Amino acid sequence: MKSLASNSRNSRQLMYLIGLLLGCIFAVSAKAATDVSGSSDLSLVQRYPNSWVVDYSQATVPEYRLATGKMKKINGVISPQSAQYLSGRLTRLTYRLPSGRSSHEAFRHFSAEFKNLGAEVLYRCEGRNCGDSDQWANYQFGIQRLYGIDREQYYQALRFEAEPGPLHLAFYTVKRGNKRVYVQLDLVEPLASQSTQVVQTEAADEVLKLLQQRQRVYLMDADDAGFGGVLALMQKRQNVRLQLVGHSDQGQSIAQQRQRSIELALRLQQRLLDAGIESGRIEVFGVGALAPAYLSAIPSERIELLLVAPR
């Protein structure tokens, strides 16, 4: 009888420990399924049911490469066969799907969302037709957790008509070797509050005000009359840093147009350097004709100025 009572007590203790262990597991699972702090869904589309956000960021970018072709090695450089280069507000979301779900299910869910919104598909690929998942993860998105099984990957580049300009979205989903499924959404949108105007003042504070209001401020070229206002700003406000983004449609190829746009920005940078502005306060980019102003009054050749957030 004593042995039976002891066994019964041991069984109760074992069940109690198992209950504690299961409670801890459920608590960890619940915590893992919580969105990362500060994140929010895109207003465009609904997330996959019961998925959660594991990474989120927003930033104004002078250049975002939207892949419109498969990833491959070209002249020793890993990049998409073709791409569009965009500027604007970039929102990046990485979702993880619940256990037991597939990347194909994610693809079907979001494809239905995109279709309902009337999206224009610029490029789409599935499985090995996309190229190596490693290249998408590390060279296109720069997110290592997106490296998965080649046959379990799906990608779409999409365009949505909107005001003040079209939205562009990169969608990628993949199943990893550990069976986890991730979805990546990169949305590039024009800055909603911005207008586009040439610098017409030499007053430093007026130029700064335009930039702080997220206006799309530009010079026609390095010799533009508005150069004095930009220089005055850089001299008066020592903490100001600028990105110079060249635009040009001059050239017979995208590569030539981008080179021309970079040269425009470099000439403006050189004028500022010659005037004594430190090189570390100026960044140069060129997007060719791939980020149009969408207004016929705006010149196709211009150098847009973007204010860099303080470090």
Side-chain angles (χ1 to χ4, degrees):
M1 293 293 293
K2 183 176 181 180
S3 177
L4 289 174
S6 176
N7 288 340
S8 177
R9 184 168 57 254
N10 290 340
S11 296
R12 288 196 299 271
Q13 290 175 341
L14 179 61
M15 292 300 294
Y16 175 73
L17 291 172
I18 291 173
L20 283 178
L21 179 60
L22 289 174
C24 290
I25 292 173
F26 291 143
V28 170
S29 298
K31 184 177 181 180
T34 301
D35 288 349
V36 68
S37 177
S39 64
S40 62
D41 292 321
L42 299 179
S43 59
L44 277 176
V45 294
Q46 297 291 321
R47 69 170 67 187
Y48 188 91
N50 299 319
S51 62
W52 65 95
V53 181
V54 296
D55 198 13
Y56 175 86
S57 67
Q58 278 191 321
T60 300
V61 295
E63 182 176 277
Y64 174 84
R65 184 178 69 186
L66 179 69
T68 54
K70 68 182 293 185
M71 296 297 294
K72 65 181 303 183
K73 198 169 187 177
I74 305 173
N75 297 325
V77 178
I78 296 174
S79 63
Q81 285 181 314
S82 60
Q84 292 186 20
Y85 290 84
L86 311 167
S87 63
R89 182 78 168 171
L90 172 63
T91 302
R92 310 194 78 193
L93 271 164
T94 310
Y95 291 103
R96 180 179 162 188
L97 268 60
S99 298
R101 299 297 186 263
S102 69
S103 55
H104 182 63
E105 290 176 289
F107 174 73
R108 287 191 303 174
H109 167 83
F110 282 99
S111 292
E113 293 276 311
F114 301 148
K115 183 177 180 180
N116 289 338
L117 291 167
E120 176 188 357
V121 179
L122 304 176
Y123 175 71
R124 173 186 291 167
C125 64
E126 303 180 19
R128 293 189 175 93
N129 289 330
C130 296
D132 294 340
S133 175
D134 167 54
Q135 295 174 351
W136 285 98
N138 295 306
Y139 293 91
Q140 175 61 27
F141 294 107
I143 301 175
Q144 192 172 11
R145 65 160 52 97
L146 296 178
Y147 176 27
I149 303 169
D150 291 348
R151 67 176 181 276
E152 299 283 352
Q153 63 179 337
Y154 299 84
Y155 174 80
Q156 292 188 75
L158 305 119
R159 172 187 167 109
F160 303 84
E161 292 300 330
E163 293 293 339
L167 312 178
H168 292 83
L169 180 73
F171 163 85
Y172 183 73
T173 183
V174 68
K175 182 178 182 179
R176 288 174 55 88
N178 59 11
K179 298 186 178 180
R180 292 179 180 176
V181 175
Y182 291 97
V183 169
Q184 182 67 31
L185 298 176
D186 283 5
L187 176 68
V188 183
E189 53 190 324
L191 299 176
S193 62
Q194 72 187 14
S195 63
T196 308
Q197 57 184 289
V198 66
V199 177
Q200 296 178 323
T201 177
E202 293 192 3
D205 291 340
E206 286 299 314
V207 177
L208 180 61
K209 181 179 178 181
L210 292 174
L211 291 169
Q212 289 176 330
Q213 291 175 345
R214 292 182 176 176
Q215 306 270 1
R216 292 182 68 178
V217 180
Y218 70 90
L219 298 179
M220 301 282 285
D221 54 43
D223 299 317
D224 193 295
F227 173 79
V230 178
L231 177 59
L233 169 63
M234 299 295 281
Q235 291 174 330
K236 182 177 181 179
R237 302 294 184 104
Q238 294 296 314
N239 64 327
V240 166
R241 296 168 55 234
L242 291 180
Q243 292 174 333
L244 312 180
V245 185
H247 298 253
S248 177
D249 61 357
Q250 301 300 304
Q252 297 180 349
S253 67
I254 292 176
Q256 290 175 343
Q257 291 170 350
R258 288 195 66 205
Q259 183 59 38
R260 167 68 179 170
S261 66
I262 290 172
E263 290 171 357
L264 286 173
L266 284 172
R267 283 199 287 271
L268 177 56
Q269 179 194 45
Q270 190 60 53
R271 280 205 69 186
L272 292 169
L273 295 178
D274 292 344
I277 305 302
E278 299 89 341
S279 60
R281 297 172 59 197
I282 310 168
E283 299 176 50
V284 170
F285 301 89
V287 297
L290 297 174
Y294 305 109
L295 293 172
S296 59
I298 305 304
S300 60
E301 283 210 329
R302 64 192 184 280
I303 308 154
E304 291 192 9
L305 312 178
L306 294 175
L307 193 63
V308 180
R311 291 173 177 171

